[in-house]
């Protein structure tokens, strides 16, 4: 469950104080096994849920560093609680974990898996 800050009884302008500011970053997963080298493609166990390659893990780590730098620069001294929401696919969870490891402030409950963040592969749609 994603927790939201309580509504401020104050005016809209004061509700937009630093306590209530949010930054939202949308990141796609890193390189997936079935898009990697021949060796990576051979490692794929579940065709519909390929793993994250080493290149993909590096991409996710770099994304995490960039996001952390942007947040650190913008919010300097403020205590922020990052919340990461990811789809249930292995490559997406791996990407989210790599990103989370780059944050300076990480809490045990910052990662949420949302089953609704995924595509459905029904042959009738293709």
């Amino acid at each position: 469950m994603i927790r939201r800050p309580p509504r401020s009884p104050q005016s809209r302008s004061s509700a937009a104080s630093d306590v209530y500011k949010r930054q939202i970053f949308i990141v796609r997963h890193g390189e997936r096994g079935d898009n990697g080298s021949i060796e990576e493609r051979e490692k794929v166990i579940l065709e519909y849920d390929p793993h994250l390659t080493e290149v993909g893990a590096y991409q996710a780590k770099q994304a995490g560093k960039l996001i952390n730098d942007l947040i650190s620069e913008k919010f300097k001294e403020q205590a922020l609680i990052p919340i990461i929401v990811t789809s249930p696919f292995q490559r997406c969870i791996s990407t989210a974990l790599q990103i989370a490891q780059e944050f300076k402030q990480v809490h045990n409950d910052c990662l949420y898996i949302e089953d609704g963040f995924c595509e459905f592969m029904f042959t009738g749609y293709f």
Side-chain angles (χ1 to χ4, degrees):
M1 183 172 126
I2 298 175
R3 293 175 197 89
R4 295 184 178 159
R7 290 185 180 244
S8 173
Q10 301 165 349
S11 69
R12 283 183 165 241
S13 60
S14 58
S17 70
D18 292 343
V19 173
Y20 294 98
K21 286 186 181 176
R22 294 176 181 87
Q23 291 290 306
I24 298 174
F25 297 90
I26 299 173
V27 179
R28 186 156 190 226
H29 57 77
E31 182 184 68
R32 45 191 272 175
D34 59 347
N35 286 339
S37 66
I38 293 171
E39 294 83 18
E40 288 293 344
R41 283 185 245 149
E42 290 172 351
K43 293 179 192 175
V44 174
I45 298 169
L46 298 173
E47 189 177 312
Y48 64 88
D49 192 11
H51 63 281
L52 196 64
T53 65
E54 287 185 31
V55 170
Y58 175 78
Q59 292 168 334
K61 188 177 185 75
Q62 293 303 109
K65 285 181 181 180
L66 176 63
I67 292 168
N68 185 61
D69 290 348
L70 290 170
I71 290 172
S72 296
E73 184 177 316
K74 184 162 185 160
F75 294 101
K76 294 187 176 44
E77 302 299 322
Q78 297 174 9
L80 298 176
I81 300 173
I83 295 173
I84 300 172
V85 183
T86 182
S87 82
F89 290 117
Q90 180 180 336
R91 63 190 174 271
C92 300
I93 294 170
S94 296
T95 298
L97 288 170
Q98 289 289 333
I99 290 172
Q101 289 174 0
E102 295 304 316
F103 289 144
K104 292 178 181 172
Q105 299 174 5
V106 176
H107 300 271
N108 291 334
D109 60 349
C110 78
L111 182 63
Y112 296 88
I113 298 173
E114 173 53 55
D115 290 336
F117 283 3
C118 64
E119 67 272 5
F120 293 98
M121 302 298 285
F122 293 115
T123 55
Y125 291 162
F126 298 99

